[in-house]
Amino acid sequence: MISKSTHYAKQGEVQRNWVLVDADGAVLGRLATQIAMILRGKNKPQFTPNSDCGDFVVVINADKVQLTGVKADSKRYWRYSGWLGGMKFESFTEAMVKHPERVIEHAVKGMLPKNRLAKVQLDRLRIFRGAEHPHTPQKPQVFEIAQVSQQAK
């Protein structure tokens, strides 16, 4: 008799790979969705929503990520200290000059589920400003981000 039960991935049987993503010329939102998919493990056949079965992701050339349209001028990031007058705003272009790693991390964090697994999955994300990274001994596999051409405007 064949059992028709669903197989759920357990922590011990998950094999984690290293994936290298080049953000040169990539659109921020589309890049973040692909990275979030790999971090969650949705590209694997043994994906289980309540288990951590994702891979490590290394993002290079974070300073060359782009936005479409006029969002580069109008997009703003904010943080609040909790004190009166403690609201600080920063535009996308200012954030890209200071810390482009945080811009990608913020976008990916927004696309992960809002539960305990999100922190564990986000800890496997490594973002670097330039093309050099210290994770060459792990032999990361290159992942191509699907680029969509902008012909219609």
Side-chain angles (χ1 to χ4, degrees):
M1 181 180 215
I2 298 175
S3 173
K4 294 185 180 182
S5 63
T6 304
H7 175 72
Y8 293 105
K10 296 171 188 61
Q11 289 294 28
E13 59 190 40
V14 174
Q15 179 188 9
R16 302 207 190 280
N17 301 324
W18 284 77
V19 178
L20 179 69
V21 176
D22 190 3
D24 188 9
V27 178
L28 179 63
R30 294 187 179 123
L31 175 74
T33 55
Q34 297 290 318
I35 292 171
M37 180 191 69
I38 297 168
L39 287 173
R40 289 195 66 197
K42 291 189 87 169
N43 57 341
K44 294 182 175 182
Q46 70 268 18
F47 169 68
T48 307
N50 61 348
S51 178
D52 184 25
C53 53
D55 294 333
F56 289 89
V57 177
V58 178
V59 180
I60 58 173
N61 294 323
D63 55 347
K64 296 178 183 168
V65 73
Q66 300 172 352
L67 290 178
T68 58
V70 295
K71 286 181 268 192
D73 301 328
S74 61
K75 186 169 182 62
R76 292 172 46 168
Y77 296 100
W78 60 272
R79 63 186 188 276
Y80 181 59
S81 67
W83 294 85
L84 288 174
M87 185 76 81
K88 306 289 184 200
F89 292 98
E90 186 176 47
S91 71
F92 173 77
T93 52
E94 292 170 352
M96 286 300 289
V97 170
K98 289 184 194 174
H99 39 75
E101 302 89 5
R102 283 196 225 161
V103 171
I104 294 177
E105 184 178 358
H106 185 266
V108 172
K109 184 178 180 179
M111 301 204 180
L112 289 175
K114 299 350 179 226
N115 57 20
R116 292 185 207 174
L117 281 178
K119 183 184 180 325
V120 176
Q121 293 166 350
L122 199 62
D123 286 342
R124 286 197 309 273
L125 177 63
R126 314 285 198 267
I127 305 171
F128 299 98
R129 182 181 297 249
E132 294 82 26
H133 62 90
H135 299 289
T136 51
Q138 283 81 20
K139 298 182 180 114
Q141 301 169 350
V142 178
F143 185 79
E144 294 294 326
I145 299 294
Q147 298 291 333
V148 178
S149 64
Q150 297 181 5
Q151 295 173 356
K153 277 220 170 183

